[in-house]
Amino acid sequence: MSDEDHYLDSYLSEILPALGLDAETYAPYVTGYANENDDGDDGESLDELMELLQASSESHADDDAAWANLRKEIIQRRDDYVSGESARKELQALEIQATTHANLQKEIDLAQKNAVEVEARKQMELESNKLENMSKDKIALMAMYGYEDGNDNNETQNDGESDKPVTNRDVAAAMNRQNTQKQKSVQTQTKQEARQETKKAKADKMAKKEERRKKAGKKERRA
């Protein structure tokens, strides 16, 4: 705590001049003592301070009662301040504890909410993958490709897992297989068409060659 905002500043600025002392000069002695003895002392330090102030007074050097009252007032104000600080710190600790508890409860509530939402999504996915809830296209797709992989061992394993719910991953895999087969079919058809075009071109070429040969033969006979 600085001397500028000390809890004794206001009191000392009034009482010290009334006792014949310059407040600006002697107030730091009192506030310094108070800062060093917030938790109390044996009284000797305060007695020594009172002796110094009394001896320095220009008007109340012989007024022992005035200095006894000053001593008593300083002790009372110090005790009130310490008590108030203790209560303030306790209240601050309670506020921090309450804030921490509230934040923790928010995190717990959020975690619980997220867990409920995740479980709800899982249940919705399980329901959507039940046969009775599937669309006709999805059922047809899974009937064609759901468990095909061209491997006898995997077929045996899939037979044992046929009761497992069909996931979106299964559907995607099936659609990929369907697209792959379509592409293979298109490629096969394209190759067949190319072979047919080549064969037709060869046949046309042979026909034209034969036609030229016949024309040439007729010309030779006429000659």
Side-chain angles (χ1 to χ4, degrees):
M1 177 181 295
S2 66
D3 290 342
E4 293 180 356
D5 58 356
H6 198 277
Y7 63 90
L8 289 175
D9 278 346
S10 177
Y11 171 68
L12 293 175
S13 66
E14 295 179 2
I15 191 63
L16 291 181
L19 294 175
L21 294 172
D22 179 60
E24 185 176 351
T25 301
Y26 291 97
Y29 288 94
V30 181
T31 55
Y33 158 80
N35 289 341
E36 294 176 359
N37 296 275
D38 278 346
D39 55 350
D41 64 355
D42 56 7
E44 293 183 2
S45 297
L46 184 56
D47 289 340
E48 293 175 357
L49 176 61
M50 290 300 101
E51 290 175 1
L52 171 64
L53 296 178
Q54 185 174 357
S56 303
S57 174
E58 297 178 356
S59 59
H60 290 70
D62 298 326
D63 191 352
D64 294 339
W67 301 105
N69 288 335
L70 176 62
R71 182 182 189 282
K72 180 180 179 181
E73 188 67 24
I74 290 174
I75 292 174
Q76 183 62 50
R77 289 176 180 268
R78 182 190 64 192
D79 292 344
D80 291 345
Y81 171 77
V82 171
S83 178
E85 279 294 287
S86 178
R88 184 186 65 80
K89 290 180 180 179
E90 183 176 354
L91 179 60
Q92 185 179 33
L94 291 174
E95 290 175 349
I96 293 174
Q97 183 179 4
T99 301
T100 302
H101 177 74
N103 291 337
L104 179 59
Q105 188 61 46
K106 287 181 180 179
E107 293 179 0
I108 293 174
D109 293 343
L110 180 59
Q112 291 176 342
K113 180 182 178 182
N114 291 339
V116 170
E117 291 177 352
V118 169
E119 184 61 26
R121 287 197 294 269
K122 288 182 179 179
Q123 291 300 323
M124 289 178 62
E125 185 175 355
L126 289 175
E127 288 295 324
S128 67
N129 288 330
K130 287 183 179 179
L131 187 61
E132 62 267 24
N133 295 328
M134 288 185 185
S135 65
K136 293 182 179 180
D137 292 340
K138 188 173 181 179
I139 293 174
L141 187 62
M142 295 311 304
M144 294 173 59
Y145 304 104
Y147 299 104
E148 283 187 11
D149 60 3
N151 187 300
D152 293 340
N153 292 332
N154 287 338
E155 288 175 358
T156 302
Q157 181 180 0
N158 286 335
D159 290 340
E161 298 178 351
S162 59
D163 293 336
K164 293 177 63 176
V166 179
T167 65
N168 291 332
R169 184 180 296 177
D170 296 328
V171 176
M175 292 181 67
N176 288 335
R177 287 195 292 271
Q178 185 183 41
N179 292 334
T180 300
Q181 290 190 6
K182 285 182 179 179
Q183 291 177 358
K184 288 182 179 179
S185 177
V186 170
Q187 291 175 356
T188 301
Q189 184 178 0
T190 302
K191 289 180 180 179
Q192 290 176 348
E193 291 175 352
R195 285 196 294 268
Q196 290 176 356
E197 290 291 334
T198 301
K199 185 176 180 180
K200 183 175 180 300
K202 287 182 179 180
D204 291 343
K205 185 176 180 180
M206 292 296 296
K208 289 180 179 179
K209 185 176 181 181
E210 182 62 21
E211 185 178 356
R212 288 195 299 270
R213 188 184 64 77
K214 288 181 180 180
K215 287 180 179 181
K218 289 180 180 180
K219 289 181 179 179
E220 289 177 358
R221 285 194 297 269
R222 290 176 183 176

